[in-house]
């Protein structure tokens, strides 16, 4: 029963990651056109409006203080992470940028033991090691291809973003045990939007009419992905779900090639194979029961 529950949560999280990759492609285009700050700001506001409408329609109660504190904390961490990520993604290919974010699940794996008291199982460690080798293979291929100073700067921003995202994954696990997925999505996105609005007069530009469909699409994809991940993290341990982040590479490689004409090297293919193998190895362990609350259930 526990294995079945973890498998369902893993599948839902996988769909969430694939949807998030679609949003990444849209956001990269918006970031190239208007800058990462504006792209993240308008997507966050649109996303908050969408999930806010659902929140009100369902007449959901205002979160209590512990949940609200988590929403604010994760919103701050996620906001800084996503801003750094899309700023860097403008400067590197999608596949390479997403590969660098694979540091986040590894960070989350060990933060889960430190912050949540989860026991790190051998299967999860083995899966992380295999996936890490895949990331090294991809990085080696990029090094052989050469990289400009701007690309290196973008890569550095994405690496920093991955550390913040790893921390936000742990907060997501806590959020998901206290709040409904819609609440988690609304308040996390709302905090990001509110944070960026403070700097809007200096850093943001108004979107053109032609950009509005892309902003709405990014908001819809992002909201669905966030809700799916929140649902999954409320039903399985962080160390079981963290490796699912690696599947984003496959989707990003495909979308980068189709949308932006970014080539995929043999190093990329080999690294992706190792990453997927790592995911499969990581979920072989039996998950401990995920604490449930009425909101999460």
């Amino acid at each position: 029963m526990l294995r079945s529950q973890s498998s369902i949560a893993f599948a839902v999280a996988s769909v969430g990651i694939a949807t998030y990759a679609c949003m990444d492609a849209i956001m990269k285009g918006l970031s190239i056109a208007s800058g990462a700050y504006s792209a993240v700001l308008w997507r966050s506001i649109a996303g908050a409006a969408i999930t806010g409408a659902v929140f009100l329609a369902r007449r959901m109660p205002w979160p209590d203080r512990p949940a609200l504190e988590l929403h604010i904390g994760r919103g701050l961490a996620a906001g800084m992470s996503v801003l750094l990520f899309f700023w860097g993604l403008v400067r590197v290919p999608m596949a390479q940028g997403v590969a660098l974010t694979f540091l986040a699940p590894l960070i989350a794996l060990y933060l889960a033991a430190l912050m949540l008291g989860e026991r790190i199982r051998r299967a999860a460690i083995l899966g992380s090691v295999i996936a890490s080798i895949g990331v090294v293979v991809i990085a080696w291929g990029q090094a052989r291809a050469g990289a400009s100073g701007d690309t290196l700067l973008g890569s550095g921003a994405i690496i920093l973003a991955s550390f913040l995202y790893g921390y936000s994954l742990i907060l997501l696990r806590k959020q998901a045990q206290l709040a409904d997925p819609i609440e988690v999505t609304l308040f996390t996105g709302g905090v990001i939007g509110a944070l960026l609005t403070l700097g809007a007069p200096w850093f943001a530009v108004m979107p053109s009419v032609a950009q509005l469909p892309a902003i709405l699409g990014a908001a819809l994809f992002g909201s669905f992905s966030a809700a799916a991940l929140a649902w999954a993290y409320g039903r399985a341990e962080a160390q079981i779900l963290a490796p699912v982040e690696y599947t984003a590479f496959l989707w990003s490689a495909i979308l980068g090639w189709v949308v932006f004409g970014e080539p995929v090297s043999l190093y990329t293919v080999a690294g992706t194979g190792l990453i997927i193998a790592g995911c499969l190895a990581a979920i072989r362990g039996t998950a401990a029961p995920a604490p449930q609350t009425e909101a999460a259930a």
Side-chain angles (χ1 to χ4, degrees), residues 145-161:
S148 66
D150 201 40
T151 299
L152 293 175
L153 194 60
S155 298
I158 293 175
I159 290 173
L160 180 56

Side-chain angles (χ1 to χ4, degrees), residues 49-145:
I50 293 170
T51 52
V54 176
F55 185 86
L56 293 175
R58 291 176 56 185
R59 298 183 179 180
M60 299 175 66
W62 187 262
D64 58 20
R65 182 170 179 176
L68 191 59
E69 289 177 350
L70 273 176
H71 294 332
I72 294 173
R74 181 167 178 259
L76 292 173
M80 295 177 65
S81 173
V82 75
L83 187 59
L84 284 166
F85 173 72
F86 287 118
W87 186 88
L89 196 62
V90 172
R91 292 158 175 79
V92 300
M94 280 190 64
Q96 179 185 349
V98 170
L100 292 173
T101 67
F102 292 157
L103 287 170
L106 301 180
I107 295 167
L109 181 69
Y110 297 100
L111 283 178
L114 180 64
M115 299 175 62
L116 303 180
E118 295 183 4
R119 182 169 60 87
I120 302 177
R121 297 179 179 83
R122 291 182 180 179
I125 295 174
L126 175 62
S128 295
V129 170
I130 295 173
S132 296
I133 295 173
V135 174
V136 171
V137 170
I138 294 164
W140 177 257
Q142 292 296 331
R144 287 178 61 87

